[in-house]
Amino acid sequence: MGRSAQGDAATAEVARKRQQQEDAAILLVHLLISCANAIQAGDYAAATSNLAAARTALATTVSTAAGIGRVLSHFAAALAQRLIPAQHGAAPNAASSAAHASELYRQFYEAGPYLKFAHFTANQAILEACDGCDRVHVIDLAIMQGVQWPSLIQAFSLRPGGPPAVRITGIGPPPAADGSRNELQDVGVRLAELARALNVPFSFNVVTADSLDALKPWMFQIVPGEALAVNSVCQLHRLLVDQDAASTSLPSPIDAVLGWVTALQPRVFTVVEQEADHNKPTLVERFVNALFYYAAVFDSMEALSAQRLALTGRPAAGGLGAEAYLQREIFNIVCSEGSGRVERHEPLVLWHARFWRAGMWQMPVGPSALGQATALLRTFSGAGFRAHECGGCLSLMWHDQALFTSSVWRAAPPTNTAAGDSILDKQADNGKSSSGSSDHHQAAAAPGGIAMK
Amino acid sequence: MCMGGPPAPPRQEENEPVLEVRVQLLGGGGAHNINDNADILSEILARLDGRSLAAAAGVCRLWAAVSRRDAVWEELCLRHVGPASGPAAAGHATRTVVAALGGYRRLYRLCLGPALDRLGRAGALAHAQARERLSLSLSLSLFSIDCYERLGGAGGGGAAGRQQPPSSLLFLCKPVDVS
């Protein structure tokens, strides 16, 4: 009798503690949002006091070791940075910061299925679109460390009928002036070695540019007859600008880039972007949206590393790097303005309208795409992650929150030569007419559906 | 060599010495030893699960050599991939690709084994169900990424001085710099 009463008391205590922590976290969220509000209103005194209260909470009532407190501490730090920009000493060495960024990217790649989902779904779309072609040319808007391409090369190597000749053009930043290792060349060398081992005819080109909108179609040396694929993983949002900055006579960077991509007439344009609304003009809206988005991402990463710990008995390496990678995004969204803000994530519905205006047509993902993405996620992660298909696109979901969306586009209007194309014709008709459609993506593309600048 | 019937597949947690004794008994006496014929040993070891096969390498030199044969691991891998992988999964082309990427033993250790572990723990899946969910093409995708990362040397740092590869193998055009 006494023991069960003790058990009840213990359970009640645990429940009460959890409620306390939840309340503390909610209070902290309110403090941070109030701080953002105050900054937006120009009331720096109120902002500072809110931030001080938030910091107290982080030091006392809300644990920053794990859970919501961890991501909230990043947002608090971002607000602090915005209020009082830290004075840096000498500017960080360009090469070392590039190497650092590269390492963070690698750790983020390892830490979860996010980039793997992006690469895998894009590769599947490229494989399907280039089926039967003898020569395939892939243009990667940001080759990074080239990790997307080994599995495409391998898939081509086992293609029934033999591999096509594969050509990859990697776009990247110019090599650092101090003569440090040229990462782009290294990527080419390694991809070529892999292709050689797999007996896939292969060549690699590099196009370096500080910004994508300076590029022109002739720079890619397109060979007639090659099947062209353009690939963009989390790059297009970096081209967006503030509304007022976009009202000059020059085309905005995103329109310039979509212009030359369309002019290239690729067989397939694979796009993966964060499924988030972080490009709102007001700080508070961005802040709140980002808070919920990154809370989901951090939550998923934490679940993954707990799972790894349970499976292998060792904590996963590189978790901190992945967190630092995300922290950079958070800081950019919260602290930067104007041309400094590059993490301008927008949801698919807005991208859809942009692509439509640029003359692109959406290609729905194939029937097996969802199953394959699901299989990929199951391999990497336990419960929680899933692939979701909506309107012909694939999203990576953490529970009910979409984190990344992968979509496929082509420039030319589809020809009515194959059974698969008739779906595209139907979509094209839906897009042209302004009658209501149950597919919200199509509705967004209808004339007057979204007021774009 | 007459065995009096195929040996029963050993249970997962069976100790190796017990396996040897069972086979000798089936052989009808002490005249035949499992270690007499490496190919027969190979046939038997190919029926083990991954963990047991890895443990078999520690029994003796012969077992170490045989259990490291890639063909043994190939059988193990093919047993675990689902029917969706198709008949080509067991074909020559796949074998060539897997060999180029590092071999079936490595494929199992890096991709299939951990995936099976995860699926197994994910929620009391029956073995057959787990098998259906493993796709060879997915495993090969992951394997090719692993091979690529090994090509570069450790992590993002890379070796200090990479040797220039023979230029006949690559077509690295001069980068078009538009900065």
Side-chain angles (χ1 to χ4, degrees):
Chain A
M1 177 68 180
R3 285 182 86 179
S4 75
Q6 271 180 358
D8 287 343
T11 317
E13 177 66 22
V14 164
R16 189 154 40 89
K17 277 219 166 86
R18 195 180 314 134
Q19 187 62 47
Q20 263 181 352
Q21 282 163 4
E22 277 179 26
D23 293 341
I26 293 174
L27 181 62
L28 177 54
V29 169
H30 278 300
L31 281 172
L32 292 175
I33 295 176
S34 305
C35 178
N37 252 316
I39 294 176
Q40 187 175 296
D43 185 354
Y44 293 103
T48 311
S49 85
N50 278 327
L51 186 58
R55 281 183 150 153
T56 309
L58 281 166
T60 54
T61 56
V62 180
S63 159
T64 56
I68 188 81
R70 202 165 178 98
V71 64
L72 289 179
S73 69
H74 289 301
F75 277 90
L79 286 172
Q81 169 74 7
R82 183 160 179 140
L83 269 179
I84 308 154
Q87 302 296 326
H88 290 291
N93 177 278
S96 72
S97 77
H100 183 58
S102 197
E103 178 61 19
L104 293 186
Y105 173 88
R106 194 186 66 81
Q107 292 195 22
F108 181 64
Y109 179 83
E110 293 296 328
Y114 321 99
L115 292 177
K116 293 172 182 118
F117 170 84
H119 295 170
F120 187 76
T121 52
N123 286 350
Q124 286 299 119
I126 295 173
L127 263 174
E128 278 174 32
C130 297
D131 193 26
C133 302
D134 290 329
R135 282 177 301 160
V136 175
H137 181 190
V138 179
I139 297 176
D140 192 355
L141 295 197
I143 187 92
M144 308 297 283
Q145 289 155 23
V147 224
Q148 179 170 355
W149 307 116
S151 67
L152 183 68
I153 296 172
Q154 176 273 311
F156 275 135
S157 76
L158 280 178
R159 194 177 72 159
V166 175
R167 195 180 148 207
I168 295 183
T169 296
I171 302 176
D178 59 2
S180 60
R181 245 180 74 246
N182 187 333
E183 196 176 75
L184 296 179
Q185 298 269 10
D186 281 358
V187 166
V189 166
R190 286 157 63 195
L191 287 174
E193 264 187 66
L194 180 79
R196 185 170 58 86
L198 295 176
N199 278 319
V200 174
F202 181 78
S203 69
F204 185 79
N205 289 70
V206 170
V207 172
T208 59
D210 279 317
S211 161
L212 290 174
D213 55 321
L215 299 177
K216 302 274 186 294
W218 62 262
M219 296 170 184
F220 299 103
Q221 300 169 344
I222 307 297
V223 170
E226 62 186 13
L228 186 63
V230 180
N231 179 77
S232 163
V233 173
C234 300
Q235 294 304 308
L236 297 181
H237 64 255
R238 310 174 78 82
L239 298 164
L240 300 177
V241 293
D242 285 332
Q243 297 288 59
D244 50 2
S247 62
T248 63
S249 52
L250 293 168
S252 62
I254 181 65
D255 291 328
V257 172
L258 291 182
W260 62 251
V261 172
T262 319
L264 286 174
Q265 296 275 294
R267 208 173 177 92
V268 64
F269 179 32
T270 49
V271 176
V272 182
E273 284 286 325
Q274 289 91 338
E275 187 64 25
D277 207 349
H278 298 156
N279 198 22
K280 298 287 201 193
T282 58
L283 172 65
V284 174
E285 279 182 282
R286 286 205 311 273
F287 189 84
V288 171
N289 289 351
L291 196 57
F292 285 102
Y293 177 82
Y294 286 100
V297 180
F298 270 72
D299 189 41
S300 66
M301 267 177 33
E302 200 174 292
L304 273 177
S305 74
Q307 189 186 43
R308 268 190 201 142
L309 190 63
L311 266 181
T312 64
R314 285 177 280 111
L320 288 179
E323 214 176 295
Y325 179 89
L326 293 172
Q327 188 192 33
R328 281 185 166 202
E329 290 185 3
I330 293 171
F331 268 55
N332 192 266
I333 294 168
V334 174
C335 306
S336 301
E337 295 290 350
S339 59
R341 183 150 54 88
V342 292
E343 300 295 340
R344 295 177 180 265
H345 311 147
E346 286 195 350
L348 178 71
V349 61
L350 293 184
W351 287 114
H352 196 285
R354 250 191 218 97
F355 293 160
W356 184 260
R357 277 187 317 152
M360 298 219 194
W361 303 64
Q362 186 183 352
M363 291 169 69
V365 294
S368 57
L370 179 62
Q372 286 163 343
T374 307
L376 174 80
L377 293 176
R378 209 177 284 123
T379 307
F380 279 106
S381 3
F385 283 107
R386 62 186 178 88
H388 176 66
E389 196 249 313
C390 174
C393 308
L394 279 180
S395 287
L396 171 64
M397 315 282 294
W398 173 249
H399 296 294
D400 287 328
Q401 171 121 13
L403 299 182
F404 289 86
T405 297
S406 174
S407 56
V408 184
W409 305 82
R410 70 184 289 169
T415 53
N416 204 357
T417 51
D421 288 338
S422 61
I423 305 171
L424 298 171
D425 282 344
K426 200 148 99 56
Q427 279 213 340
D429 290 337
N430 279 343
K432 279 194 192 128
S433 76
S434 51
S435 59
S437 162
S438 58
D439 185 342
H440 75 281
H441 295 304
Q442 295 304 318
I450 284 215
M452 295 299 298
K453 187 238 146 273
Chain B
M1 178 169 162
C2 169
M3 298 283 285
R11 285 195 305 275
Q12 233 167 313
E13 304 301 321
E14 205 93 32
N15 285 326
E16 309 315 333
V18 177
L19 163 67
E20 191 170 335
V21 164
R22 283 175 67 182
V23 169
Q24 280 185 324
L25 284 176
L26 280 171
H32 308 291
N33 186 299
I34 187 177
N35 287 339
D36 283 344
N37 187 316
D39 291 332
I40 302 262
L41 178 62
S42 178
E43 281 289 313
I44 295 169
L45 293 182
R47 285 159 172 73
L48 292 178
D49 64 284
R51 269 205 180 75
S52 303
L53 187 51
V59 170
C60 64
R61 267 205 292 270
L62 174 65
W63 283 47
V66 172
S67 67
R68 289 205 168 100
R69 286 187 187 179
D70 219 42
V72 171
W73 290 91
E74 178 180 354
E75 284 218 35
L76 175 62
C77 289
L78 290 178
R79 255 190 286 140
H80 282 293
V81 298
S85 299
H92 171 73
T94 307
R95 200 173 291 133
T96 312
V97 164
V98 174
L101 292 176
Y104 282 95
R105 183 162 159 247
R106 195 179 171 89
L107 172 67
Y108 188 87
R109 183 165 66 83
L110 288 179
C111 305
L112 285 173
L116 281 170
D117 275 348
R118 248 179 243 116
L119 289 175
R121 289 188 206 220
L125 285 173
H127 183 71
Q129 261 184 299
R131 191 190 313 171
E132 274 191 44
R133 291 172 194 239
L134 276 189
S135 135
L136 182 65
S137 68
L138 179 55
S139 304
L140 288 179
S141 287
L142 305 176
F143 199 31
S144 61
I145 297 171
D146 164 73
C147 177
Y148 174 74
E149 285 175 339
R150 275 180 288 132
L151 282 174
R162 276 198 67 86
Q163 271 189 322
Q164 274 304 316
S167 56
S168 57
L169 290 178
L170 319 159
F171 301 94
L172 282 179
C173 303
K174 205 147 133 24
V176 180
D177 192 341
V178 296
S179 54

